[in-house]
Every structure is written in C-alpha cells, then in structure tokens.
Amino acid sequence: MTTDKETPAREEGIPPGHRHPHDHRGMHEEAWTRERAEAVLDAPDRARSQDPFVLWRRAGLNAGAVVVDVGAGSGFYAFPAGEIVGPTGRVYAVDVSAELIELLKERTEARGAANVRPVHSTPERIPLGDGLADFLLLANVLHGVPSSTLREARRILKPTGRLVNVDWKKEPTPGGPPVEARLTVEEAEAALARHGFSPIDRWDAGPYHYALLLG
Ligand SMILES: C[S@@+](CC[C@H](N)C(=O)[O-])C[C@H]1O[C@@H](n2cnc3c(N)ncnc32)[C@H](O)[C@@H]1O
C-alpha cells in the first residue's frame, strides 16, 4: 500500500538514537493539518522573529527567479517570494499535506498571486522537472524530512542554483519542535552535503533561527 508517510518501513518504531547514522532526522515530520498550520504557522507574532522578506533578500532572490519551497505549509515564505520574483518569476509551493495544498490554492486566489503554484508532493516524489529551480527553500523542515525528499531537492535545483535552509536553533526557544529533534548548523550542513550541497554562507535569521545558503 502506498501512503504519504515518509518513514521507510525498516525505520518504523525505531527510536531516533537507534536509526542509521546517516539518517539526519531527530523526529518524524508529518503532513500538517490545516488546523495546526493556522494555529502555528500563521501565529500573529511569528513575523516578529522570522522576516521572510529579509531572508529572501539576504539569500539573493531577485525578480524573474524560479523558487521551489519544499514544505511550504501555509505560504509564510512562498507568498513573499512571489512578491519578490514578480510576474516574470514563479514560486512552486510544495507540500505533502493535501489540506495545506487546498489552503494554498485558496490563498493564491484570494491574493491574486498568479505566480505562486501549489504542488502536492509525497516524501519520495516532487512532481517538478529536473534543474528547474534557481532557489530551493527548506524552512523549518530539514529536521523532519527523509533522504528521498533531499534527493528530489537536488534533482530539481539547477546546478548553479542555491538551496536556502532556515531552521530552529538547537536551544530552548518559545515554540518550535523539541530541542532534541532539532539539527545544529553542522548537522544540517552534513545532512545536505550527503546530497551534494556545499556550504556558501550562514547567518542568524532572527533570535530563534539560523539560515544556511548552499550550492
Ligand atoms: C514546520 S511546517 C513549516 C512550513 C513552512 N515552511 C513555514 O516555515 O511556515 C512543515 C511543513 O512541511 C510539510 N512536510 C513534512 N514533510 C514533508 C516532505 N517530506 N516533503 C514536503 N513537505 C513536507 C508539512 O506538511 C508542513 O506543512
């Protein structure tokens, strides 16, 4: 039977500390519900600690670029990317959650964001072509996605493209996943290096997050 669950059968029920050493995940991330996304991802105070426009500008995003946001959630980073890339660019907002793809479609229509395209994926397959993206974003998802999703990220990104990874610092913060599930900067870079990504830059992305740029 095919399901949306990304945990390979051999890992089911295996606690994080006993997984294969090459498995970077501290926890199993799942398809989010609309209710959870509206409560957490759309929290009114969120923009105070994470500014998507500042992140995109710092990463070098410009008009006309093609962006793939993997694990786009309710569009916190995808819609600002759509404003920056403008009518000559495109943003594919990818998520494994059918509920959130519906939510993204509603928001795309309500905002008239014609250049933002919601794309329903599975952990093993993102239905987009090879070498399509100038930028690929992983925001608050790397700690929970399997290797198959990272292989897809590498396939979709242009050889000259840039991967942007934003994630929670591995320290206690208000909100966010449990600290033991988070990745340090070094662990995140190592997980991405296994899929052919080399570090280019890293910076503080607000009080609770770090950002990495890789190519
Ligand atoms: C913590 S939320 C982050 C959402 C968004 N990036 C943000 O920062 O607002 C994680 C999102 O990733 C999605 N997700 C989980 N595993 C995934 C995978 N393997 N591929 C794509 N999306 C995934 C979930 O459904 C959820 O919407």
Side-chain angles (χ1 to χ4, degrees):
M1 189 179 78
T2 305
T3 73
D4 256 9
K5 286 201 163 187
E6 63 263 43
T7 304
R10 65 182 163 76
E11 285 173 14
E12 275 173 12
I14 302 174
H18 294 79
R19 287 199 185 123
H20 188 277
H22 283 175
D23 185 353
H24 62 278
R25 289 174 297 162
M27 70 183 289
H28 170 60
E29 186 67 82
E30 296 173 341
W32 279 41
T33 62
R34 183 181 184 122
E35 194 183 10
R36 186 179 180 196
E38 285 174 345
V40 177
L41 305 178
D42 297 342
D45 59 348
R46 190 174 173 205
R48 279 208 292 274
S49 64
Q50 291 175 71
D51 186 329
F53 287 98
V54 169
L55 184 277
W56 282 125
R57 293 289 185 207
R58 178 77 165 76
L61 186 63
N62 279 316
V66 175
V67 176
V68 176
D69 181 359
V70 176
S74 58
F76 185 80
Y77 286 95
F79 288 112
E83 289 183 38
I84 295 169
V85 302
T88 58
R90 179 155 297 178
V91 178
Y92 295 98
V94 174
D95 208 285
V96 293
S97 165
E99 280 186 35
L100 294 192
I101 292 302
E102 273 315 303
L103 178 65
L104 286 164
K105 283 182 182 162
E106 287 168 23
R107 292 188 177 178
T108 301
E109 275 173 34
R111 293 167 185 237
N115 63 351
V116 178
R117 304 277 169 88
V119 175
H120 192 202
S121 66
T122 69
E124 293 76 32
R125 177 79 184 155
I126 298 173
L128 291 172
D130 296 359
L132 164 115
D134 298 299
F135 284 85
L136 189 140
L137 177 70
L138 297 170
N140 305 307
V141 293
L142 180 62
H143 60 269
V145 299
S147 294
S148 52
T149 301
L150 300 182
R151 269 197 299 280
E152 284 292 85
R154 183 65 270 180
R155 179 183 67 74
I156 288 163
L157 192 62
K158 282 183 183 160
T160 54
R162 294 289 179 254
L163 184 141
V164 184
N165 178 54
V166 184
D167 219 333
W168 293 87
K169 292 176 184 170
K170 196 172 171 68
E171 61 191 37
T173 57
V179 174
E180 64 272 16
R182 304 181 190 191
L183 300 174
T184 63
V185 164
E186 291 73 23
E187 287 167 341
E189 285 182 343
L192 292 167
R194 286 195 283 277
H195 293 274
F197 296 106
S198 306
I200 294 172
D201 199 3
R202 45 161 92 157
W203 63 93
D204 238 35
Y208 313 135
H209 291 79
Y210 59 79
L212 308 177
L213 188 71
L214 304 98

